[in-house]
Amino acid sequence: MNPSMIIPKEEMGGREKELKIHFTPGHVEVAEENVHVPFRRVLVTGATGLLGRAVYKEFQDNDWYTVGCGYSRARPRFEKCNLLDADAVRAMIQEFQPHVIVHCAAERRPDVVESQTDAAIQLNVSAAGNLAKEAGVSFVIYISTDYVFDGRNPPYDVNDTPNPLNLYGKTKLEGEREVLRNNMGAAVLRVPVLYGDVEKLEESAITVMFDKVQNSTDLISIDHCQQRFPTYVKDVGRVCRQLAESRLQDPSLRGIFHFSGNEQMTKYEMACAIADAFSLPSSHLRPITETPVGSGALRPHNPQLDCSRLENLGIGHRTPFKQGIKECLWPFLHDKRWRQSVFH
C-alpha cells in the first residue's frame, strides 16, 4: 500500500478563501473569508439511497470533505455519474482523488434481481469491479450483504464459506470477489437488512410494514419464520467512517468485515416492536410460521453475522431497535395525536 495513504494528524485540514455576501438593511457587502476545508476526502457512491445518505452525512459531520454521487436522483445535491461508464468513473476519481471510496450503490432488492438479472449483474458485479480497479490508492469499502450465506449454520464468521441461495446474494458475492481481485487493499463490509431515515416507507423492507401496523382495522399476516437482525443505517455509516479512519492510520486493515444489529427478530416481531414503540395496538398482526409458496426469491433462514473482527478494533455502536425505528418513522404517523403522546 502506498505510504501516502497514512495521513499525519497535522495535515488533517486546511483553509481556503471564499466570497460571502452579507446583507444588512440598506447595505450589501461582499467579503473574503477563510473557510475550513477538511483534508480527508471521501467519495460515496449511491449517495441518494437509504444507506448512502447516512454514510454521506456521517463523514460530512465528522470533518471529511465529502462528495456523493448518484444517477437518476443525483442533482442538485450530488454529482451525477453513471457507474457503468468506465470513463466517467475514472474521470470522477482522478478529479476528486479521494482517500476513501464507500461503494453503496447496488441493486439490493432480491425479487428485482431475479427479474432484471442482467442489469443487476452490471451494477452489483461489473461496476463494483471497475470502481475498485480505478480507485488506485484510495481505500475502497464495498458494501455487501448477509445473503451471501445460506442461513443454515449461524453465526457466520468472516472466514466462513459463502453459499448464497438467491441471485441477489450471488451477485453481491461475485461483486466482493471482483473488488478484492481488482484492489487487494479493499475492504468488504457485509450488513443485514437495513432501516433508517426513509424518504418513503417502501425504501426499506422494515419500514414498509408501518402502514400495516397503523391500519388496525384489518388482520395482517406477517412472516414469523425467517430470523433477521435489523440494522440502523446511521450505525453502518459510523462503522464505515471508523473503519476508514483506522485504515488511514493502519494500511494493513483490509479484507472482509461483518456488522449487524444484535437484536434477533422475525418480521412479525419487528412489526410488534414498531407498534409498541409508538404505543399502537398489535392484536391485528398475525404470525405466519411457514414460508408461503411463490413468495419470491429464496431467503436464508438465519444469516446471523459474527461481528467480532470489527468489535476487536473497537468499532461498532448499535442503536436499540425501538429507539432507531421511532427516530425514523415518526414523520409517517397517521394519527398526529400519537406524536404528542410519544414524544412529549
Side-chain angles (χ1 to χ4, degrees), residues 33-66:
E33 296 183 358
N34 287 320
V35 178
H36 173 68
V37 179
F39 179 83
R40 302 173 298 184
R41 299 182 298 278
V42 59
L43 173 65
V44 180
T45 74
T48 58
L50 174 61
L51 176 59
R53 295 193 303 269
V55 171
Y56 179 91
K57 187 176 188 305
E58 174 67 25
F59 278 92
Q60 188 180 52
D61 290 349
N62 286 276
D63 204 33
W64 283 74
Y65 183 13
T66 310

mmCIF file of all heavy atoms in Angstrom, residues 33-66:
data_model
loop_
_atom_site.group_PDB
_atom_site.id
_atom_site.type_symbol
_atom_site.label_atom_id
_atom_site.label_comp_id
_atom_site.label_asym_id
_atom_site.label_seq_id
_atom_site.Cartn_x
_atom_site.Cartn_y
_atom_site.Cartn_z
ATOM 1 N N GLU A 33 -13.587 35.516 3.138
ATOM 2 C CA GLU A 33 -13.429 34.912 4.448
ATOM 3 C C GLU A 33 -12.678 33.589 4.334
ATOM 4 O O GLU A 33 -12.728 32.911 3.298
ATOM 5 C CB GLU A 33 -14.801 34.658 5.093
ATOM 6 C CG GLU A 33 -15.581 35.927 5.383
ATOM 7 C CD GLU A 33 -16.895 35.629 6.083
ATOM 8 O OE1 GLU A 33 -17.191 34.431 6.294
ATOM 9 O OE2 GLU A 33 -17.614 36.587 6.417
ATOM 10 N N ASN A 34 -11.993 33.237 5.417
ATOM 11 C CA ASN A 34 -11.343 31.939 5.489
ATOM 12 C C ASN A 34 -12.379 30.848 5.737
ATOM 13 O O ASN A 34 -13.277 31.009 6.576
ATOM 14 C CB ASN A 34 -10.308 31.903 6.621
ATOM 15 C CG ASN A 34 -9.075 32.706 6.281
ATOM 16 O OD1 ASN A 34 -8.614 32.680 5.138
ATOM 17 N ND2 ASN A 34 -8.533 33.427 7.261
ATOM 18 N N VAL A 35 -12.283 29.757 5.014
ATOM 19 C CA VAL A 35 -13.196 28.628 5.166
ATOM 20 C C VAL A 35 -12.377 27.372 5.437
ATOM 21 O O VAL A 35 -11.409 27.092 4.737
ATOM 22 C CB VAL A 35 -14.048 28.431 3.890
ATOM 23 C CG1 VAL A 35 -14.962 27.225 4.061
ATOM 24 C CG2 VAL A 35 -14.857 29.674 3.604
ATOM 25 N N HIS A 36 -12.763 26.633 6.464
ATOM 26 C CA HIS A 36 -12.059 25.383 6.783
ATOM 27 C C HIS A 36 -12.405 24.322 5.745
ATOM 28 O O HIS A 36 -13.577 24.067 5.463
ATOM 29 C CB HIS A 36 -12.458 24.885 8.167
ATOM 30 C CG HIS A 36 -11.915 23.526 8.483
ATOM 31 N ND1 HIS A 36 -10.573 23.287 8.663
ATOM 32 C CD2 HIS A 36 -12.542 22.329 8.643
ATOM 33 C CE1 HIS A 36 -10.381 21.999 8.918
ATOM 34 N NE2 HIS A 36 -11.567 21.403 8.918
ATOM 35 N N VAL A 37 -11.403 23.715 5.151
ATOM 36 C CA VAL A 37 -11.590 22.633 4.188
ATOM 37 C C VAL A 37 -10.937 21.374 4.746
ATOM 38 O O VAL A 37 -9.710 21.332 4.901
ATOM 39 C CB VAL A 37 -10.976 22.986 2.816
ATOM 40 C CG1 VAL A 37 -11.168 21.825 1.854
ATOM 41 C CG2 VAL A 37 -11.595 24.259 2.262
ATOM 42 N N PRO A 38 -11.715 20.338 5.073
ATOM 43 C CA PRO A 38 -11.123 19.114 5.600
ATOM 44 C C PRO A 38 -10.128 18.514 4.609
ATOM 45 O O PRO A 38 -10.355 18.536 3.396
ATOM 46 C CB PRO A 38 -12.334 18.187 5.800
ATOM 47 C CG PRO A 38 -13.510 19.115 5.896
ATOM 48 C CD PRO A 38 -13.185 20.276 5.006
ATOM 49 N N PHE A 39 -9.044 17.983 5.143
ATOM 50 C CA PHE A 39 -8.026 17.380 4.285
ATOM 51 C C PHE A 39 -8.465 16.003 3.793
ATOM 52 O O PHE A 39 -8.240 15.629 2.649
ATOM 53 C CB PHE A 39 -6.704 17.255 5.056
ATOM 54 C CG PHE A 39 -5.599 16.633 4.261
ATOM 55 C CD1 PHE A 39 -4.832 17.398 3.391
ATOM 56 C CD2 PHE A 39 -5.335 15.277 4.340
ATOM 57 C CE1 PHE A 39 -3.820 16.824 2.646
ATOM 58 C CE2 PHE A 39 -4.330 14.695 3.589
ATOM 59 C CZ PHE A 39 -3.565 15.467 2.745
ATOM 60 N N ARG A 40 -9.113 15.231 4.656
ATOM 61 C CA ARG A 40 -9.506 13.872 4.291
ATOM 62 C C ARG A 40 -10.683 13.911 3.322
ATOM 63 O O ARG A 40 -11.675 14.592 3.552
ATOM 64 C CB ARG A 40 -9.881 13.087 5.551
ATOM 65 C CG ARG A 40 -8.758 13.021 6.574
ATOM 66 C CD ARG A 40 -9.221 12.386 7.867
ATOM 67 N NE ARG A 40 -10.285 13.137 8.524
ATOM 68 C CZ ARG A 40 -10.806 12.830 9.705
ATOM 69 N NH1 ARG A 40 -10.348 11.767 10.356
ATOM 70 N NH2 ARG A 40 -11.759 13.555 10.244
ATOM 71 N N ARG A 41 -10.571 13.170 2.254
ATOM 72 C CA ARG A 41 -11.585 13.198 1.209
ATOM 73 C C ARG A 41 -12.217 11.816 1.036
ATOM 74 O O ARG A 41 -11.518 10.804 0.969
ATOM 75 C CB ARG A 41 -10.975 13.649 -0.126
ATOM 76 C CG ARG A 41 -10.376 15.044 -0.080
ATOM 77 C CD ARG A 41 -9.824 15.470 -1.434
ATOM 78 N NE ARG A 41 -8.743 14.606 -1.894
ATOM 79 C CZ ARG A 41 -7.474 14.713 -1.511
ATOM 80 N NH1 ARG A 41 -7.125 15.648 -0.621
ATOM 81 N NH2 ARG A 41 -6.553 13.895 -1.976
ATOM 82 N N VAL A 42 -13.547 11.795 0.952
ATOM 83 C CA VAL A 42 -14.264 10.535 0.767
ATOM 84 C C VAL A 42 -15.296 10.696 -0.346
ATOM 85 O O VAL A 42 -15.965 11.725 -0.449
ATOM 86 C CB VAL A 42 -14.952 10.072 2.073
ATOM 87 C CG1 VAL A 42 -15.959 11.110 2.577
ATOM 88 C CG2 VAL A 42 -15.629 8.715 1.890
ATOM 89 N N LEU A 43 -15.403 9.678 -1.164
ATOM 90 C CA LEU A 43 -16.412 9.604 -2.217
ATOM 91 C C LEU A 43 -17.404 8.516 -1.844
ATOM 92 O O LEU A 43 -17.011 7.384 -1.534
ATOM 93 C CB LEU A 43 -15.749 9.264 -3.559
ATOM 94 C CG LEU A 43 -16.689 8.983 -4.735
ATOM 95 C CD1 LEU A 43 -17.485 10.230 -5.108
ATOM 96 C CD2 LEU A 43 -15.894 8.454 -5.937
ATOM 97 N N VAL A 44 -18.692 8.854 -1.855
ATOM 98 C CA VAL A 44 -19.748 7.904 -1.506
ATOM 99 C C VAL A 44 -20.598 7.655 -2.746
ATOM 100 O O VAL A 44 -21.245 8.585 -3.257
ATOM 101 C CB VAL A 44 -20.642 8.430 -0.362
ATOM 102 C CG1 VAL A 44 -21.733 7.412 -0.024
ATOM 103 C CG2 VAL A 44 -19.802 8.751 0.869
ATOM 104 N N THR A 45 -20.593 6.429 -3.262
ATOM 105 C CA THR A 45 -21.473 6.101 -4.375
ATOM 106 C C THR A 45 -22.843 5.703 -3.834
ATOM 107 O O THR A 45 -22.976 5.297 -2.676
ATOM 108 C CB THR A 45 -20.916 4.952 -5.227
ATOM 109 O OG1 THR A 45 -21.072 3.714 -4.507
ATOM 110 C CG2 THR A 45 -19.452 5.176 -5.584
ATOM 111 N N GLY A 46 -23.859 5.845 -4.675
ATOM 112 C CA GLY A 46 -25.209 5.540 -4.210
ATOM 113 C C GLY A 46 -25.646 6.466 -3.102
ATOM 114 O O GLY A 46 -26.430 6.078 -2.215
ATOM 115 N N ALA A 47 -25.172 7.716 -3.141
ATOM 116 C CA ALA A 47 -25.426 8.656 -2.041
ATOM 117 C C ALA A 47 -26.879 9.099 -1.960
ATOM 118 O O ALA A 47 -27.280 9.719 -0.973
ATOM 119 C CB ALA A 47 -24.514 9.883 -2.180
ATOM 120 N N THR A 48 -27.681 8.792 -2.974
ATOM 121 C CA THR A 48 -29.095 9.149 -2.938
ATOM 122 C C THR A 48 -29.934 8.074 -2.242
ATOM 123 O O THR A 48 -31.100 8.301 -1.937
ATOM 124 C CB THR A 48 -29.646 9.346 -4.358
ATOM 125 O OG1 THR A 48 -29.457 8.133 -5.109
ATOM 126 C CG2 THR A 48 -28.932 10.487 -5.068
ATOM 127 N N GLY A 49 -29.354 6.904 -1.988
ATOM 128 C CA GLY A 49 -30.092 5.801 -1.387
ATOM 129 C C GLY A 49 -30.149 5.864 0.122
ATOM 130 O O GLY A 49 -29.514 6.707 0.763
ATOM 131 N N LEU A 50 -30.880 4.943 0.704
ATOM 132 C CA LEU A 50 -31.088 4.912 2.157
ATOM 133 C C LEU A 50 -29.763 4.836 2.914
ATOM 134 O O LEU A 50 -29.496 5.636 3.813
ATOM 135 C CB LEU A 50 -31.971 3.712 2.516
ATOM 136 C CG LEU A 50 -32.174 3.438 4.012
ATOM 137 C CD1 LEU A 50 -32.862 4.615 4.697
ATOM 138 C CD2 LEU A 50 -32.968 2.144 4.226
ATOM 139 N N LEU A 51 -28.917 3.883 2.559
ATOM 140 C CA LEU A 51 -27.625 3.761 3.236
ATOM 141 C C LEU A 51 -26.672 4.863 2.808
ATOM 142 O O LEU A 51 -25.982 5.453 3.646
ATOM 143 C CB LEU A 51 -27.002 2.393 2.953
ATOM 144 C CG LEU A 51 -25.602 2.162 3.535
ATOM 145 C CD1 LEU A 51 -25.610 2.326 5.053
ATOM 146 C CD2 LEU A 51 -25.073 0.791 3.145
ATOM 147 N N GLY A 52 -26.635 5.159 1.520
ATOM 148 C CA GLY A 52 -25.705 6.168 1.024
ATOM 149 C C GLY A 52 -25.898 7.523 1.679
ATOM 150 O O GLY A 52 -24.925 8.215 1.997
ATOM 151 N N ARG A 53 -27.144 7.922 1.908
ATOM 152 C CA ARG A 53 -27.408 9.207 2.563
ATOM 153 C C ARG A 53 -26.837 9.223 3.970
ATOM 154 O O ARG A 53 -26.270 10.227 4.424
ATOM 155 C CB ARG A 53 -28.918 9.483 2.603
ATOM 156 C CG ARG A 53 -29.569 9.674 1.248
ATOM 157 C CD ARG A 53 -30.973 10.260 1.366
ATOM 158 N NE ARG A 53 -31.874 9.477 2.180
ATOM 159 C CZ ARG A 53 -32.673 8.512 1.733
ATOM 160 N NH1 ARG A 53 -32.641 8.188 0.446
ATOM 161 N NH2 ARG A 53 -33.495 7.858 2.538
ATOM 162 N N ALA A 54 -26.992 8.120 4.689
ATOM 163 C CA ALA A 54 -26.486 8.048 6.060
ATOM 164 C C ALA A 54 -24.963 8.045 6.095
ATOM 165 O O ALA A 54 -24.347 8.687 6.951
ATOM 166 C CB ALA A 54 -27.033 6.795 6.749
ATOM 167 N N VAL A 55 -24.339 7.327 5.172
ATOM 168 C CA VAL A 55 -22.874 7.292 5.099
ATOM 169 C C VAL A 55 -22.340 8.677 4.762
ATOM 170 O O VAL A 55 -21.389 9.171 5.379
ATOM 171 C CB VAL A 55 -22.406 6.251 4.059
ATOM 172 C CG1 VAL A 55 -20.900 6.360 3.824
ATOM 173 C CG2 VAL A 55 -22.773 4.843 4.520
ATOM 174 N N TYR A 56 -22.957 9.327 3.785
ATOM 175 C CA TYR A 56 -22.544 10.680 3.377
ATOM 176 C C TYR A 56 -22.606 11.638 4.567
ATOM 177 O O TYR A 56 -21.660 12.382 4.838
ATOM 178 C CB TYR A 56 -23.460 11.161 2.254
ATOM 179 C CG TYR A 56 -23.158 12.552 1.750
ATOM 180 C CD1 TYR A 56 -22.287 12.763 0.684
ATOM 181 C CD2 TYR A 56 -23.763 13.672 2.335
ATOM 182 C CE1 TYR A 56 -22.018 14.042 0.211
ATOM 183 C CE2 TYR A 56 -23.496 14.946 1.881
ATOM 184 C CZ TYR A 56 -22.625 15.127 0.815
ATOM 185 O OH TYR A 56 -22.355 16.401 0.369
ATOM 186 N N LYS A 57 -23.713 11.610 5.294
ATOM 187 C CA LYS A 57 -23.896 12.534 6.421
ATOM 188 C C LYS A 57 -22.895 12.252 7.536
ATOM 189 O O LYS A 57 -22.358 13.181 8.148
ATOM 190 C CB LYS A 57 -25.321 12.420 6.953
ATOM 191 C CG LYS A 57 -25.660 13.466 8.025
ATOM 192 C CD LYS A 57 -27.114 13.368 8.446
ATOM 193 C CE LYS A 57 -27.506 14.534 9.357
ATOM 194 N NZ LYS A 57 -26.644 14.670 10.532
ATOM 195 N N GLU A 58 -22.622 10.982 7.804
ATOM 196 C CA GLU A 58 -21.685 10.631 8.866
ATOM 197 C C GLU A 58 -20.293 11.183 8.588
ATOM 198 O O GLU A 58 -19.654 11.767 9.466
ATOM 199 C CB GLU A 58 -21.624 9.106 9.025
ATOM 200 C CG GLU A 58 -20.572 8.611 10.003
ATOM 201 C CD GLU A 58 -20.849 8.983 11.449
ATOM 202 O OE1 GLU A 58 -22.035 9.193 11.800
ATOM 203 O OE2 GLU A 58 -19.882 9.054 12.246
ATOM 204 N N PHE A 59 -19.810 11.023 7.373
ATOM 205 C CA PHE A 59 -18.488 11.559 7.032
ATOM 206 C C PHE A 59 -18.505 13.089 7.030
ATOM 207 O O PHE A 59 -17.596 13.732 7.568
ATOM 208 C CB PHE A 59 -18.045 11.034 5.665
ATOM 209 C CG PHE A 59 -17.437 9.665 5.693
ATOM 210 C CD1 PHE A 59 -18.218 8.540 5.495
ATOM 211 C CD2 PHE A 59 -16.081 9.492 5.916
ATOM 212 C CE1 PHE A 59 -17.661 7.268 5.512
ATOM 213 C CE2 PHE A 59 -15.509 8.239 5.942
ATOM 214 C CZ PHE A 59 -16.301 7.117 5.732
ATOM 215 N N GLN A 60 -19.535 13.667 6.440
ATOM 216 C CA GLN A 60 -19.616 15.127 6.354
ATOM 217 C C GLN A 60 -19.653 15.771 7.733
ATOM 218 O O GLN A 60 -19.054 16.831 7.948
ATOM 219 C CB GLN A 60 -20.865 15.523 5.557
ATOM 220 C CG GLN A 60 -20.939 17.006 5.234
ATOM 221 C CD GLN A 60 -22.191 17.338 4.443
ATOM 222 O OE1 GLN A 60 -23.303 16.985 4.829
ATOM 223 N NE2 GLN A 60 -22.016 18.010 3.318
ATOM 224 N N ASP A 61 -20.317 15.135 8.679
ATOM 225 C CA ASP A 61 -20.443 15.686 10.033
ATOM 226 C C ASP A 61 -19.196 15.472 10.885
ATOM 227 O O ASP A 61 -19.154 15.920 12.030
ATOM 228 C CB ASP A 61 -21.650 15.057 10.749
ATOM 229 C CG ASP A 61 -22.984 15.525 10.175
ATOM 230 O OD1 ASP A 61 -22.979 16.487 9.374
ATOM 231 O OD2 ASP A 61 -24.016 14.910 10.502
ATOM 232 N N ASN A 62 -18.216 14.761 10.342
ATOM 233 C CA ASN A 62 -17.032 14.434 11.129
ATOM 234 C C ASN A 62 -15.746 14.838 10.422
ATOM 235 O O ASN A 62 -14.755 14.105 10.431
ATOM 236 C CB ASN A 62 -17.028 12.942 11.477
ATOM 237 C CG ASN A 62 -18.038 12.592 12.543
ATOM 238 O OD1 ASN A 62 -17.776 12.731 13.731
ATOM 239 N ND2 ASN A 62 -19.214 12.150 12.107
ATOM 240 N N ASP A 63 -15.772 16.026 9.823
ATOM 241 C CA ASP A 63 -14.580 16.678 9.290
ATOM 242 C C ASP A 63 -13.941 15.913 8.128
ATOM 243 O O ASP A 63 -12.731 15.793 8.045
ATOM 244 C CB ASP A 63 -13.546 16.905 10.404
ATOM 245 C CG ASP A 63 -12.599 18.059 10.061
ATOM 246 O OD1 ASP A 63 -13.043 19.010 9.405
ATOM 247 O OD2 ASP A 63 -11.416 17.990 10.430
ATOM 248 N N TRP A 64 -14.784 15.399 7.239
ATOM 249 C CA TRP A 64 -14.319 14.838 5.977
ATOM 250 C C TRP A 64 -14.875 15.685 4.835
ATOM 251 O O TRP A 64 -16.043 16.086 4.871
ATOM 252 C CB TRP A 64 -14.816 13.402 5.797
ATOM 253 C CG TRP A 64 -14.069 12.372 6.586
ATOM 254 C CD1 TRP A 64 -14.141 12.140 7.931
ATOM 255 C CD2 TRP A 64 -13.140 11.416 6.056
ATOM 256 N NE1 TRP A 64 -13.326 11.103 8.276
ATOM 257 C CE2 TRP A 64 -12.697 10.634 7.151
ATOM 258 C CE3 TRP A 64 -12.656 11.139 4.784
ATOM 259 C CZ2 TRP A 64 -11.778 9.589 6.987
ATOM 260 C CZ3 TRP A 64 -11.748 10.101 4.622
ATOM 261 C CH2 TRP A 64 -11.311 9.347 5.714
ATOM 262 N N TYR A 65 -14.037 15.945 3.841
ATOM 263 C CA TYR A 65 -14.509 16.578 2.609
ATOM 264 C C TYR A 65 -15.235 15.485 1.829
ATOM 265 O O TYR A 65 -14.620 14.552 1.324
ATOM 266 C CB TYR A 65 -13.328 17.138 1.829
ATOM 267 C CG TYR A 65 -13.684 17.882 0.556
ATOM 268 C CD1 TYR A 65 -14.985 18.259 0.272
ATOM 269 C CD2 TYR A 65 -12.690 18.213 -0.363
ATOM 270 C CE1 TYR A 65 -15.310 18.941 -0.892
ATOM 271 C CE2 TYR A 65 -12.993 18.903 -1.531
ATOM 272 C CZ TYR A 65 -14.308 19.257 -1.795
ATOM 273 O OH TYR A 65 -14.620 19.924 -2.952
ATOM 274 N N THR A 66 -16.556 15.604 1.758
ATOM 275 C CA THR A 66 -17.398 14.509 1.298
ATOM 276 C C THR A 66 -18.076 14.845 -0.027
ATOM 277 O O THR A 66 -18.722 15.882 -0.161
ATOM 278 C CB THR A 66 -18.478 14.189 2.350
ATOM 279 O OG1 THR A 66 -17.858 14.034 3.626
ATOM 280 C CG2 THR A 66 -19.231 12.923 1.995
#
